[in-house]
């Protein structure tokens, strides 16, 4: 499976959200950045990051940034990742960002996603500018490198992103 590379155009998508609406990457034209995070319900690492994802959206939404979470996992093998359970999880955790279902896993394949959580930061032109982890520790108290925030801040300030790729940690995508 090929992974999109830094500097390439991000693949478009149209997916169903837990809000009952259909969301496309094109819906976010005009945003300064879109952080696509491949996510799910069952992964313990994702669970450790959910509050951070909510905080990132809260802190950056007025700066023209949107975080979009996409769940590509096979819900037959992992029923906790079903669309109905996604709706429940989004309500329970007060998600303030779109949470979308990649039922046929085509979007995860197009991006080359391998882990949850795994971030693909896209600029206003639709170009991939950062790929990897949110930060370097599941334990918020142990974080030393705020990789996604550093990339966002550089992108928004018009500076070069110093570290454009990091190794995502978390569960593997559960392929059908």
């Amino acid at each position: 499976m090929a992974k999109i590379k830094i500097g390439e155009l991000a693949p478009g998508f149209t997916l169903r959200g837990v809000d009952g609406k259909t969301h496309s990457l094109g819906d976010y034209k005009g945003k300064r950045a879109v952080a696509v995070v491949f996510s799910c319900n069952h992964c313990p690492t994702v669970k450790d990051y959910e509050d951070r994802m909510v905080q990132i959206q809260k802190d950056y939404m007025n700066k023209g940034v949107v975080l979009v979470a996409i769940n590509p996992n096979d819900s037959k093998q992992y029923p906790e990742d079903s669309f109905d359970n996604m709706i429940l999880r989004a309500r329970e955790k007060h998600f303030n960002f779109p949470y979308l279902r990649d039922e046929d896993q085509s979007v995860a394949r197009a991006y080359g996603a391998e882990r949850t959580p795994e971030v693909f930061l896209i600029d206003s032109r639709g170009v991939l500018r950062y790929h990897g982890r949110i930060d370097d520790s599941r334990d918020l108290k142990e974080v030393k490198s705020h990789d996604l925030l550093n990339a966002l801040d550089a992108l928004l300030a018009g500076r070069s992103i110093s570290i454009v790729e990091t190794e995502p940690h978390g569960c593997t995508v559960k392929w059908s």
Side-chain angles (χ1 to χ4, degrees):
M1 174 170 49
K3 185 180 296 282
I4 63 169
K5 293 174 179 49
I6 301 300
E8 292 181 346
L9 280 177
F13 58 78
T14 301
L15 298 170
R16 180 170 61 144
V18 298
D19 60 0
K21 299 175 185 169
T22 300
H23 297 257
S24 297
L25 183 58
D27 294 343
Y28 308 111
K29 263 192 171 55
K31 293 291 181 185
R32 295 178 69 197
V34 179
V36 173
V37 181
F38 287 89
S39 189
C40 67
N41 288 353
H42 87 274
C43 174
T45 306
V46 168
K47 289 177 182 180
D48 289 341
Y49 277 95
E50 287 172 328
D51 291 339
R52 279 178 255 187
M53 291 164 57
V54 168
Q55 191 64 48
I56 290 166
Q57 179 60 35
K58 183 179 175 189
D59 292 345
Y60 283 84
M61 64 191 279
N62 290 332
K63 297 176 182 180
V65 175
V66 64
L67 185 145
V68 177
I70 299 176
N71 181 348
N73 281 351
D74 178 8
S75 62
K76 290 179 185 70
Q77 295 178 68
Y78 294 85
E80 192 176 340
D81 286 329
S82 72
F83 188 72
D84 288 341
N85 284 326
M86 288 173 59
I87 294 169
L88 296 174
R89 187 72 182 166
R91 282 187 193 139
E92 174 189 325
K93 296 300 291 181
H94 305 286
F95 287 175
N96 55 354
F97 50 80
Y99 190 26
L100 314 179
R101 180 77 182 131
D102 182 12
E103 192 70 46
D104 66 3
Q105 302 179 318
S106 61
V107 178
R109 289 185 196 288
Y111 277 74
E114 297 173 354
R115 302 245 167 228
T116 59
E118 184 170 353
V119 179
F120 294 82
L121 180 61
I122 303 162
D123 71 13
S124 61
R125 296 184 334 255
V127 174
L128 181 67
R129 300 290 302 276
Y130 168 80
H131 165 250
R133 62 192 185 198
I134 293 172
D135 58 42
D136 66 345
S137 180
R138 286 176 57 181
D139 182 349
L140 185 56
K141 295 181 204 101
E142 300 293 320
V143 173
K144 291 177 181 58
S145 182
H146 297 274
D147 305 293
L148 174 58
L149 298 182
N150 294 340
L152 275 167
D153 290 343
L155 183 64
L156 295 176
R159 296 189 319 263
S160 294
I161 297 170
S162 59
I163 299 173
V164 296
E165 200 136 24
T166 57
E167 190 64 37
H169 49 259
C171 301
T172 58
V173 169
K174 305 309 180 198
W175 301 107
S176 298

